[in-house]
Amino acid sequence: QVDFRVHAQQHYFEYQPGRLTGLNRDQKTITLAPIKNSAGETVVAERHLSYDTLVLAVGSTTNDFGTKGAAEFCQFLDSQEQARRFHRNLLNRYLQEEFADSSERNLRVAIIGAGATGVELAAELRYASQQLEYYGLHHIGPDNISISLIEAGERILPALKERLSSAACRELKKLNIEVLTSKPVTEITGQSLHFADGSELEAEIKVWAAGIKAPTFLSELDGLETNRINQLKVDATLRTTRDDSIYAFGDCAECWLEGNERPVPPRAQAAHQQASTLYKTLIAKLEGKAAHPFVYKDHGSLVSLSDYTAVGSLMGNLSKGSMMVEGKLARLFYVSLYRMHQYALHGFFKTGLIWLNDRLMKAIHSRMKLH
Ligand SMILES: Cc1cc2nc3c(=O)[nH]c(=O)nc-3n(C[C@H](O)[C@H](O)[C@H](O)COP(=O)(O)OP(=O)(O)OC[C@H]3O[C@@H](n4cnc5c(N)ncnc54)[C@H](O)[C@@H]3O)c2cc1C
């Protein structure tokens, strides 16, 4: 998590808190919603900011595709608050089962969507279930917690290479995680999931991790062109199709590059590369030079399976084509990637300090947060 106010002070930009709610392209202004305190009182009234060039990078949220009952009965992991709620809910369920009178203890977790988020979450939950006995929970353990990973497509990790998907599937099965593929969910109720083939799966905890969509307000943003999942359509220079002064990148933008069968994927590495290109374009624009076209380089993908292992494929500099990595090496790359993100944000020295701090905290705190 980045404290933008501090980051801005240290990196020569100005940070304005506020939620974008409107745009006036003629007047070149944006509208920010009022800022309220926890009692609902207005601290700062709605305000307008003017711009010469506007860059939109508002990300995405989970897409439940309007599935009946999903919004009501599933948990989502888009924000820190949602993640905290999921954590609290899970701990309460563990406690409930631990002290239940019944001798039949069983907690069923269903994760809908076997992309990287779903796969990683399934492995993390299995790891957590194996740690419980070290923290005084003796009646509930891995044998009482069933985890099912559900995917509408034919295989898990559909956006990644098939080899990777099979390797991850093999590891998940070793962890006693049930993997259900070709199982589109049609409805969710308080107790169960209903599938298109008429079958049903009971689960107390249901997490929706399938697909993304850009925020709805983008489709009503003063006539900017959007696709069916509200992403702003941009050209190869990341400029929106209907306004030369407005750019968009990251998850909230749909960017097609020549010769590609799919748009640039909604991933951190794509957003990062687009930011670097846009930075050059904005400088070029000020100097009256031509925009830099965006070129996407897929450096590969890594999927962590908690402390057990990781699987991934690396592309580009280290290998010609793609190179499959698994186990300790893949985990090392995974951890390095995280540090690379920190390096991009904070620089070498601070990332070193953060790493040192993390090592110290690891020695003091448990790996699992049980409160
Ligand atoms: C659980 C999870 C795990 C993931 N794991 C990976 C992974 O391992 N590898 C990977 O490559 N990608 C991963 N992703 C995807 C990755 O996080 C995104 O592709 C990436 O963050 C997109 O960057 P972005 O800048 O477009 O959007 P974001 O990083 O989402 O940033 C958008 C920002 O805009 C703010 N915002 C939204 N609406 C408004 C508004 N109206 N006004 C003002 N601000 C607003 C948001 O609060 C947010 O801070 C994961 C995503 C999730 C949810």
Side-chain angles (χ1 to χ4, degrees):
Q1 187 177 21
V2 179
D3 185 330
F4 285 117
R5 215 179 282 278
V6 176
H7 202 252
Q9 186 263 332
Q10 293 171 348
H11 295 277
Y12 314 103
F13 67 94
E14 189 184 305
Y15 168 65
Q16 292 259 356
R19 184 166 55 84
L20 174 73
T21 50
L23 168 71
N24 186 322
R25 292 203 280 139
D26 289 337
Q27 291 177 11
K28 288 197 158 191
T29 57
I30 57 165
T31 306
L32 300 181
I35 299 176
K36 299 194 173 180
N37 64 16
S38 51
E41 296 152 350
T42 301
V43 178
V44 180
E46 180 181 89
R47 64 200 199 281
H48 305 280
L49 300 179
S50 59
Y51 65 84
D52 295 318
T53 300
L54 178 67
V55 179
L56 292 163
V58 291
S60 64
T61 55
T62 308
N63 192 353
D64 66 14
F65 307 100
T67 308
K68 199 172 166 196
E72 202 177 345
F73 299 111
C74 285
Q75 306 196 29
F76 296 83
L77 294 174
D78 288 323
S79 66
Q80 200 184 54
E81 182 41 40
Q82 286 175 340
R84 280 186 206 280
R85 209 177 307 140
F86 173 63
H87 178 240
R88 277 196 303 270
N89 188 2
L90 192 68
L91 287 183
N92 286 340
R93 287 286 188 167
Y94 280 161
L95 287 176
Q96 214 172 14
E97 292 298 320
E98 170 75 8
F99 296 107
D101 283 339
S102 152
S103 58
E104 271 199 25
R105 294 183 168 83
N106 197 10
L107 180 59
R108 291 160 298 189
V109 183
I111 301 166
I112 302 115
T117 305
V119 168
E120 292 196 0
L121 180 66
E124 285 292 345
L125 291 180
R126 177 53 78 220
Y127 177 82
S129 73
Q130 290 176 344
Q131 302 301 305
L132 292 174
E133 64 172 320
Y134 304 121
Y135 298 100
L137 298 171
H138 300 300
H139 301 299
I140 178 150
D143 295 341
N144 318 91
I145 300 171
S146 61
I147 302 170
S148 306
L149 184 62
I150 294 130
E151 169 59 45
E154 284 174 6
R155 60 182 178 89
I156 65 164
L157 299 170
L160 306 185
K161 293 218 165 2
E162 198 160 350
R163 277 191 307 169
L164 230 160
S165 153
S166 330
C169 195
R170 195 182 57 233
E171 294 299 329
L172 289 174
K173 285 183 177 162
K174 273 194 222 163
L175 296 174
N176 196 21
I177 290 166
E178 183 184 34
V179 179
L180 300 173
T181 50
S182 303
K183 283 278 197 187
V185 175
T186 51
E187 188 185 346
I188 301 202
T189 61
Q191 278 310 308
S192 57
L193 278 71
H194 296 261
F195 300 108
D197 59 11
S199 59
E200 224 180 287
L201 179 79
E202 290 193 8
E204 286 78 31
I205 294 186
K206 299 165 275 292
V207 185
W208 191 279
I212 61 132
K213 63 175 182 196
T216 313
F217 78 90
L218 290 180
S219 61
E220 294 144 14
L221 212 51
D222 203 5
L224 292 179
E225 192 183 7
T226 50
N227 64 12
R228 67 187 166 80
I229 56 165
N230 312 322
Q231 287 173 312
L232 292 162
K233 292 196 176 189
V234 295
D235 65 18
T237 66
L238 307 175
R239 199 172 49 193
T240 52
T241 48
R242 291 185 186 156
D243 196 314
D244 290 353
S245 311
I246 303 180
Y247 295 79
F249 76 95
D251 283 13
C252 74
E254 183 195 67
C255 176
W256 284 89
L257 300 179
E258 218 178 294
N260 288 7
E261 286 167 12
R262 290 179 182 189
V264 176
R267 296 209 197 132
Q269 61 171 319
H272 190 146
Q273 291 175 32
Q274 288 178 328
S276 302
T277 304
L278 202 47
Y279 162 76
K280 288 186 212 148
T281 290
L282 295 182
I283 289 176
K285 196 178 176 191
L286 288 174
E287 293 170 347
K289 294 182 186 158
H292 288 250
F294 174 61
V295 180
Y296 176 57
K297 264 196 196 158
D298 185 352
H299 293 299
S301 309
L302 288 161
V303 180
S304 160
L305 296 161
S306 192
D307 264 22
Y308 307 107
T309 185
V311 295
S313 64
L314 301 177
M315 317 243 274
N317 300 343
L318 282 173
S319 59
K320 280 207 157 54
S322 99
M323 180 177 85
M324 180 104 174
V325 281
E326 258 185 84
K328 285 206 164 65
L329 185 64
R331 254 204 92 68
L332 183 73
F333 279 121
Y334 190 88
V335 173
S336 319
L337 256 185
Y338 175 59
R339 296 296 170 199
M340 274 163 64
H341 283 306
Q342 289 181 326
Y343 170 72
L345 285 167
H346 304 295
F348 183 75
F349 183 65
K350 277 197 187 152
T351 302
L353 288 179
I354 294 170
W355 175 78
L356 199 61
N357 180 55
D358 288 350
R359 301 292 299 184
L360 290 172
M361 296 309 269
K362 206 174 167 183
I364 299 167
H365 293 289
S366 65
R367 162 92 156 73
M368 247 175 88
K369 201 169 174 187
L370 287 152
H371 55 82

